Amino acid sequence: MTEPDLLNQAISDAYDETPYTSNALSQTAPGHLRAVAHLYGLDSAPLARARVLELGCAAGGNLIPFAIAHPNAEVIGIDLSPEQINAGREVAERLGLRNLDLRALSITDIDDSLGKFDYIICHGVFSWVPPVVREAILRVCRDNLATEGLAFISYNVYPGWKTSDILRDAMQLNSFSAVTPAEKLKKAKEMLGLLQHGLSPNNLMREAISKAAQALSQQPDHYLFHEYLEMINSPCYFLEFVASIQQAGLAYVSDVQPEGSFPSNYGEATATAVAAMSGDADRVMREQYLDFAVGRPFRQSVLVHAERADQILQRPEASQFSSMFVSTQLQPQTERDRAHPSHRHFRTPANTGLATQDPSLVALIEVLLQQWPAPIPFDQAVEIVGSKSELTGEALQHATMLHLITLLNCGALRYRRETVAYGNDSAKPQLIPGARELIIAASEKTLQVGHYNLWHQVVNLSADPATRYVATLLDGSLSQAEVRTQLRDALTAGRISHPDGLALKGARNVDPVAQELLVRILAAMRSGGLLL
């Protein structure tokens, strides 16, 4: 074998030995990539019949949500690990997917015979493979990308990864002599203990290292192993990445979360300093300055063919929201509302706070939360804002766009060019396509594929037996009352237990208890986007 072949085999063996749950990654969803590109003035292929390719797909958990929601699309995933590919094929078979093709293949072996793709996704691969594979990734993103195609690549970047470099070097040093993955993890965790609790007060990097070690100690074993103990991990500066894609014939569009590239979102001092440093710089240099200011460790970039570079807007254009569907994920903070009655307070899934006293923004948020997980069209958002405002015409549309920018900036806005297929008007609750079958399959054996919703988000479904039992009933054939009756019978027969530990076997008059439990379970499923 050549050296690249040996490295590929070693990487494949590592993932076969230590597989991980393959989950949906919302930031890589073709629908999200399409919407982000639209903000920058770029068109892309509609989703219904799109061709999608993922490089390093593991068991296909990031492709299944798209494939099942778009049965006329063609979806291909490749990965070096035969064990993970076989696990994904088994799940795809259980779900009846005929448009998902998972292949055990090296990225370096992809050629023109695979055809052109509207969306190419490469998450968690670029920094972890040898140079010859990184070159192949860029080649595929150029040669196999359709004319109006969008590519996604994620990668570790400096300066934020400098601290992680120290952690990685230390853990690899201590685990060097270990043979099995379990031994390597044990040795690595021992070193994390030293870095958390044993650093000298005179160590100038003590705070940064100990904080990073503490955060890493909370991560699952598969993340620690593949992120820090693999043979290869090659971060780069953003400028270096852009230079490499330009040499390959590609152009940078945006970070997949555009709000992360706005200096104003990091405070006035950061925004002022970055503006002073980069006043005459181009957009790429401005973002590199910002990376230094915020210590960014990781980037997720949207790319297109170099020929489209002149079409890319310098800044995202809010007017593009006018042709989109929008939603939001926020948690109301009623205790803070009572303490500060002139404001409404919300918190995002990333724990960012949002406070407002604008009645039109509050009205918009409340409707979006009530409608979740279904989005609303922009025109409806305008009507809601207008109901609490005296603005009309262009001024009203502009105010609505500003509200959406506010939600975007705090990471709470979900937006698409096509609607997301929620909105079951039936009185019979039903899970989204594939969810019920996946839950049933997961009850029979451990799967390498996680649960998802139609926003392409990972869903942490409760493991309690009652939730799993209710899920098996939600095929759209039973009314809520009929589901409650079956749940009651299962509780009183002792076939499942109540999650709160209530002793219900043989009990009478359990209908109110079953009803309360069912309402709770359905609410959690709706919050997670599992119900149509």
Side-chain angles (χ1 to χ4, degrees):
M1 281 189 178
T2 64
E3 183 177 351
D5 289 336
L6 290 170
L7 284 171
N8 277 348
Q9 187 61 51
I11 294 170
S12 173
D13 291 345
Y15 281 92
D16 280 346
E17 293 170 1
T18 314
Y20 59 91
T21 301
S22 180
N23 285 317
L25 301 160
S26 60
Q27 68 273 26
T28 74
H32 179 64
L33 303 182
R34 176 163 155 78
V36 170
H38 189 56
L39 290 179
Y40 283 86
L42 297 175
D43 204 2
S44 55
L47 304 180
R49 296 184 178 275
R51 294 194 82 229
V52 178
L53 171 66
E54 182 167 17
L55 308 176
C57 67
N62 190 38
L63 291 174
I64 287 173
F66 180 83
I68 207 161
H70 301 89
N72 293 318
E74 184 179 355
V75 186
I76 297 177
I78 71 162
D79 197 277
L80 268 179
S81 169
E83 197 276 336
Q84 291 187 100
I85 288 294
N86 288 334
R89 286 173 175 170
E90 181 181 336
V91 173
E93 185 67 26
R94 289 290 297 262
L95 299 182
L97 286 174
R98 297 293 177 263
N99 62 338
L100 176 61
D101 181 4
L102 301 178
R103 307 183 186 184
L105 183 70
S106 171
I107 295 169
T108 57
D109 292 332
I110 295 176
D111 57 26
D112 291 343
S113 65
L114 210 58
K116 302 287 187 181
F117 293 87
D118 302 300
Y119 301 92
I120 297 178
I121 302 163
C122 185
H123 177 77
V125 179
F126 193 81
S127 295
W128 298 266
V129 291
V132 65
V133 182
R134 289 198 293 275
E135 292 171 6
I137 290 170
L138 297 181
R139 172 181 59 77
V140 171
C141 287
R142 178 193 65 223
D143 294 349
N144 295 87
L145 192 65
T147 303
E148 291 192 338
L150 302 174
F152 167 99
I153 299 179
S154 65
Y155 48 102
N156 290 334
V157 290
Y158 294 132
W161 237 87
K162 290 289 187 180
T163 303
S164 295
D165 267 345
I166 296 174
L167 268 63
R168 182 174 185 270
D169 290 345
M171 289 190 293
Q172 291 214 334
L173 173 69
N174 200 49
S175 62
F176 180 77
S177 60
V179 177
T180 67
E183 291 172 344
K184 287 182 178 292
L185 283 166
K186 181 176 182 294
K187 291 288 188 180
K189 290 177 180 179
E190 289 173 357
M191 178 57 75
L192 276 182
L194 169 64
L195 299 178
Q196 285 183 77
H197 309 296
L199 297 183
S200 165
N202 296 325
N203 186 332
L204 296 179
M205 299 185 69
R206 179 185 182 186
E207 182 177 356
I209 293 174
S210 61
K211 184 177 180 180
Q214 169 65 26
L216 184 56
S217 68
Q218 307 302 313
Q219 295 291 335
D221 286 351
H222 69 79
Y223 174 84
L224 192 155
F225 187 86
H226 293 301
E227 185 81 8
Y228 286 83
L229 299 181
E230 293 283 9
M231 294 181 296
I232 299 173
N233 195 329
S234 303
C236 62
Y237 283 100
F238 176 55
L239 281 177
E240 295 174 322
F241 177 79
V242 172
S244 68
I245 68 167
Q246 289 175 342
Q247 186 175 7
L250 298 165
Y252 171 72
V253 177
S254 165
D255 190 88
V256 77
Q257 295 171 303
E259 64 273 15
S261 298
F262 304 160
S264 57
N265 285 336
Y266 300 95
E268 184 177 350
T270 295
T272 301
V274 170
M277 287 288 296
S278 60
D280 297 327
D282 62 18
R283 185 163 66 100
V284 169
M285 185 61 76
R286 290 197 302 270
E287 291 200 31
Q288 180 63 80
Y289 282 129
L290 184 60
D291 280 7
F292 277 107
V294 303
R296 197 189 310 271
F298 186 65
R299 271 189 169 269
Q300 305 177 92
S301 295
V302 182
L303 314 175
V304 294
H305 284 294
E307 292 78 9
R308 305 186 72 192
D310 292 342
Q311 304 171 24
I312 304 169
L313 299 177
Q314 285 294 303
R315 291 177 176 79
E317 177 53 63
S319 64
Q320 302 289 63
F321 283 128
S322 64
S323 59
M324 293 198 199
F325 297 83
V326 297
S327 189
T328 192
Q329 286 177 291
L330 288 167
Q331 184 66 38
Q333 294 185 284
T334 53
E335 291 185 5
R336 294 200 66 187
D337 290 344
R338 285 193 290 268
H340 305 276
S342 63
H343 286 72
R344 287 293 308 276
H345 296 81
F346 304 90
R347 192 153 292 277
T348 72
N351 209 30
T352 301
L354 171 64
T356 181
Q357 56 183 348
D358 186 325
S360 64
L361 176 55
V362 171
L364 178 60
I365 290 173
E366 287 180 339
V367 171
L368 290 174
L369 293 180
Q370 182 182 6
Q371 291 289 111
W372 172 265
I376 66 171
F378 178 79
D379 289 346
Q380 185 179 345
V382 172
E383 291 177 5
I384 296 164
V385 173
S387 70
K388 298 293 183 179
S389 168
E390 297 180 355
L391 299 173
T392 58
E394 291 185 5
L396 176 57
Q397 290 217 357
H398 181 69
T400 304
M401 290 172 188
L402 290 179
H403 288 339
L404 296 180
I405 291 172
T406 296
L407 295 174
L408 177 76
N409 282 340
C410 69
L413 186 67
R414 307 291 173 253
Y415 51 104
R416 293 287 193 273
R417 292 190 66 183
E418 289 99 339
T419 191
V420 183
Y422 287 104
N424 178 24
D425 294 329
S426 170
K428 299 178 179 180
Q430 184 176 357
L431 292 180
I432 62 173
R436 178 175 172 271
E437 292 77 8
L438 190 62
I439 292 168
I440 292 173
S443 69
E444 298 172 359
K445 62 178 293 186
T446 300
L447 300 181
Q448 290 186 31
V449 170
H451 302 288
Y452 59 86
N453 65 24
L454 296 182
W455 285 97
H456 212 99
Q457 297 170 322
V458 61
V459 176
N460 295 314
L461 183 69
S462 172
D464 77 80
T467 295
R468 303 283 172 154
Y469 176 73
V470 167
T472 66
L473 303 175
L474 302 183
D475 60 0
S477 65
L478 301 176
S479 68
Q480 185 167 327
E482 290 170 327
V483 174
R484 181 200 65 210
T485 298
Q486 294 209 29
L487 175 60
R488 178 204 65 196
D489 292 346
L491 290 168
T492 55
R495 296 198 303 273
I496 60 171
S497 59
H498 193 284
D500 296 339
L502 301 180
L504 299 174
K505 185 175 182 179
R508 297 183 178 181
N509 301 320
V510 178
D511 281 295
V513 177
Q515 176 66 15
E516 186 278 331
L517 177 57
L518 179 59
V519 168
R520 189 202 314 178
I521 290 172
L522 292 179
M525 288 180 171
R526 184 168 298 283
S527 177
L530 284 174
L531 288 180
L532 282 176

